Amino acid sequence: MKRAGTLRQISDLSDFSRGHWLRELLCCGEEPSHVQHSPDGQHLLVLQKKGPPSLPRMVAFQRHSIAGADLERSWQLPQPALVGLLFLQSPVVLGSWVLALVWEQGRTEIWHFVVSVGWQLLQTLELCQGARARIVSVCSQGASLVWCEERPPLGAHSDISKCAFRFCVCARAVEVGEQGVRLGTVRIVLHNSPEYQVLASPQHIFLLPAAAGFATTSRFLLIWHPETAKLTVTAPSAGFIHSKVLHSSSESDFRKLLLSSVGLLSGFAPLDIHSSAVSNSGGLLLVSTKGAVNMVEPDGTHRHIFDLERGSLAQGSPVRLKTFGSILACVVAGVLYLVDQNSGRLIEKEVLSMKEVHFLESPGEEDGIQLLTHAGIYSFSFSKPEDSSRPEPCLVEMVFEEACRYYQRRSLSSSKLTVEKLKKGGAFQAPVVLAAILQHSLHQTQKPAQGLQDTYAKLLNTMSLELQSYMSLELLKTCVVCAPESEVESYCNELVEQEVSRILHSDMDKDNLAYLNSVFASFPKAAWKATRSCLQLQQNGDGLLVARATPEVWKKVLGGPQLEEVGQNGMVPLFELICASFLRFKPKWLPSFVELTQQYVSISWAYSSKEGPEGRVPLYKRALGVLARKNKHSGGDDEMELELLLCSKRPKAVLQALHLLIRLKRWQRVVEVAEKFSKLSPLLNKEIFTTLLAEFAQHRELDPYLDRLWPLCPAELTASDILTVVLQHLPCSQEDPVPFSSEGNQLTVGLLKPLLQRVVQRPSVQDEIYLDALQSPTFPPPTPPREH
């Protein structure tokens, strides 16, 4: 059930010193003001860059309960402007803080507030080492400052296009002690780089390219990990790209760092960033000009959260972002959106009457939402549903909404599917809601919620195995991203096995098939091991290949998009992928695998069914197609073709194999195949014997095997039929035949005599019919009774 939210005022700003002036600054500015609040929530700092008053200024306001001197700074353009209002942790007193005012030319003022005394200037420092440096962006992390500065070229008339990479990203610790403030050494994070905006999370620094940057450098963003000195490259269109540990200052050169990836990065789509903010979980929130809200995680992965309903956003329109616990609050054009970060579900949408809104921290309340406007401070809280005796969590509603979208995309009907229709019709079959339930399960380990657990007990029990598999898969993906190079291969093998298993237990559509093609191409050996594991392929005690895969897995292997459906883009069906793996890693198992698949087909589908795989192209022909597409042909390919033809046990394939053996002049194997497959059917027996009889008439290669060949003669062949076949296939001679030839390769009556005697002495079919009549108990048969 949807929770109802209420907005109530908790302060009219009269509890702040000079509250009327604070109200004027918030409502009279031509441009939106920048509001910064202190960690203890007792101070508000307002930075207003343009009119009225005409001078840009920064003013600090504190509550009436805290007396002391005020803080106000203003500057006259074109003097260096104030670029940062930052609160730094002070290690002297636990929980204390100092305020750093960072100016454009690098001058930094460290202020401290003392109760009953007010704001005091501790020290003024020079942050930059170069006198000509200009700070364009600055942020704070703990007790350190991180900034991006411009270092102009030495030549006064230097070409700006040649000096595009004239910026440098630096970090420096600010040590506040009893003896004063001291700056640590400068740490070069990146040099010879384009302009970046720096944003700090508790553990990472995000580097966003400036809007006026070059086309190539504005296609990705960087993430710096101070503790490990690692730099991660990521792009919204591709996700994580790569990361590198910067051991020395020479490795921090931007151009050298990305030299090997220029071709890859140039193919990505340009960044589309309208607004940005850091969430309380350490991720970076990005809002595109089209209204899409995305999250960039510290490991470089990207996740879509929500789409604003307003569509395209104007360049100058402000967008306020703030996270409160698991709730994302967003204000656009006087509309407040509250979104669940985990599921992307819109919790509340409230139209505000205020023009400009700022978010404040709620001390002691993780999920509390406070808004600052010119009219005061407001708190947004949720009210409990009226029927609290039977609570229905919002997750249930989200599941049904997701099911509506899932079934609507696959429905042939033009009528809109609603949640009510799903609940009444009973068509809901639990679509995948692993992400939200998994997040809930993780929270339960930290904050158990008994009521919610009882509500979802049955669903969680049903999906426990899938949850465990999903959790292990996500953990493994994280290990792959963070693992050293020596361990990446083992992690990749395990990841491929889990991914192949996951695809084989889901719908085999074109997207999943394309994904499997890429996995088999990128990790062929790991994919082969994963296939053996999923199909449970092994040899039994007799050396025969057996598979203990479930019927669902077999259907995925043999079903799905076929070759005529996937197009000519290089993608092949799953059966062909597996056959190619057999040819590469275990070729002697391929005929047995094809035979196993045919056995499963004969059980699951009717013979020549159009729905089954055998109703389209026989499996042995599909395997032969894989063999024909091999890049390098070897001497064993003829043997493999022969085995694939014979394992099918189809008459045409057996005869094709027989002709192949005859062409290769492997007469011993020819006779063995004839003896084995003549027992399958009388028609096939006749075709095999006629073929071998024709070969016998042409040469003497089969003479050593006549005692094994003549017993295969079909019962319906007569002596005249045999002589007809022999005469039709006798080799043509240029000379007149002589009674006694010296060559010794001509057919003689003596060679045919055993076969003709066998046929003549064998009773004919008509004789057997008459014999049955003569052996009847009464002859002639009795006269049938007359009908009167």
Side-chain angles (χ1 to χ4, degrees), residues 251 344 426 439:
E251 296 180 346
Q439 189 69 29

Side-chain angles (χ1 to χ4, degrees), residues 220-262:
F220 58 91
L221 53 92
L222 305 176
I223 305 173
W224 180 50
H225 311 260
E227 292 185 358
T228 58
K230 183 173 68 173
L231 201 64
T232 299
V233 183
T234 179
S237 58
F240 172 83
I241 299 174
H242 77 275
S243 61
K244 183 178 182 180
V245 178
L246 308 178
H247 297 286
S248 62
S249 58
S250 62
E251 296 180 346
S252 301
D253 192 322
F254 177 83
R255 292 172 293 187
K256 295 181 180 179
L257 183 67
L258 300 176
L259 185 61
S260 60
S261 305
V262 171

Side-chain angles (χ1 to χ4, degrees), residues 100-388:
L101 303 182
V102 183
W103 301 82
E104 191 176 40
Q105 85 281 19
R107 189 178 85 250
T108 303
E109 301 175 2
I110 306 298
W111 291 80
H112 180 56
F113 186 86
V114 181
V115 179
S116 74
V117 177
W119 289 97
Q120 289 183 334
L121 178 64
L122 296 181
Q123 199 163 344
T124 300
L125 308 168
E126 290 296 333
L127 198 59
C128 303
Q129 290 182 326
R132 303 174 68 246
R134 183 179 68 90
I135 296 178
V136 294
S137 176
V138 63
C139 65
S140 64
Q141 186 183 69
S144 299
L145 292 175
V146 182
W147 71 95
C148 178
E149 65 178 45
E150 180 185 10
R151 296 180 174 180
L154 295 177
H157 302 286
S158 298
D159 188 358
I160 296 298
S161 62
K162 295 182 180 179
C163 303
F165 301 99
R166 62 185 185 275
F167 293 85
C168 181
V169 180
C170 310
R172 202 167 190 181
V174 180
E175 302 173 3
V176 182
E178 296 178 356
Q179 304 300 325
V181 183
R182 188 172 65 89
L183 287 175
T185 58
V186 177
R187 183 180 182 182
I188 303 298
V189 180
L190 207 62
H191 62 91
N192 293 331
S193 72
E195 181 181 352
Y196 277 105
Q197 177 190 3
V198 291
L199 297 170
S201 72
Q203 302 296 332
H204 309 86
I205 303 294
F206 295 93
L207 281 69
L208 271 68
F214 283 77
T216 304
T217 59
S218 62
R219 299 173 187 270
F220 58 91
L221 53 92
L222 305 176
I223 305 173
W224 180 50
H225 311 260
E227 292 185 358
T228 58
K230 183 173 68 173
L231 201 64
T232 299
V233 183
T234 179
S237 58
F240 172 83
I241 299 174
H242 77 275
S243 61
K244 183 178 182 180
V245 178
L246 308 178
H247 297 286
S248 62
S249 58
S250 62
E251 296 180 346
S252 301
D253 192 322
F254 177 83
R255 292 172 293 187
K256 295 181 180 179
L257 183 67
L258 300 176
L259 185 61
S260 60
S261 305
V262 171
L264 174 66
L265 297 174
S266 61
F268 297 150
L271 294 176
D272 181 14
I273 301 176
H274 179 277
S275 304
S276 59
V278 178
S279 69
N280 55 6
S281 63
L284 177 65
L285 294 166
L286 298 177
V287 182
S288 69
T289 56
K290 297 179 180 179
V293 183
N294 297 279
M295 173 80 80
V296 181
E297 301 292 349
D299 58 3
T301 57
H302 290 246
R303 179 168 61 92
H304 178 70
I305 296 179
F306 184 69
D307 288 317
L308 298 174
E309 299 175 353
R310 298 187 59 83
S312 300
L313 300 174
Q315 187 63 33
S317 60
V319 177
R320 306 290 184 185
L321 296 170
K322 186 71 176 177
T323 55
F324 301 89
S326 62
I327 298 176
L328 167 63
C330 179
V331 174
V332 183
V335 180
L336 172 65
Y337 297 89
L338 299 180
V339 181
D340 186 351
Q341 291 186 85
N342 302 323
S343 63
R345 177 179 175 271
L346 179 63
I347 300 175
E348 189 77 20
K349 178 182 177 182
E350 188 84 11
V351 179
L352 307 176
S353 58
M354 305 83 171
K355 177 182 178 182
E356 189 172 347
V357 178
H358 303 271
F359 290 111
L360 301 179
E361 292 285 356
S362 303
E365 299 181 16
E366 181 184 357
D367 296 333
I369 302 175
Q370 290 190 4
L371 298 90
L372 171 66
T373 70
H374 68 276
I377 300 176
Y378 292 81
S379 175
F380 193 92
S381 59
F382 295 103
S383 59
K384 296 182 180 180
E386 297 179 358
D387 55 343
S388 57

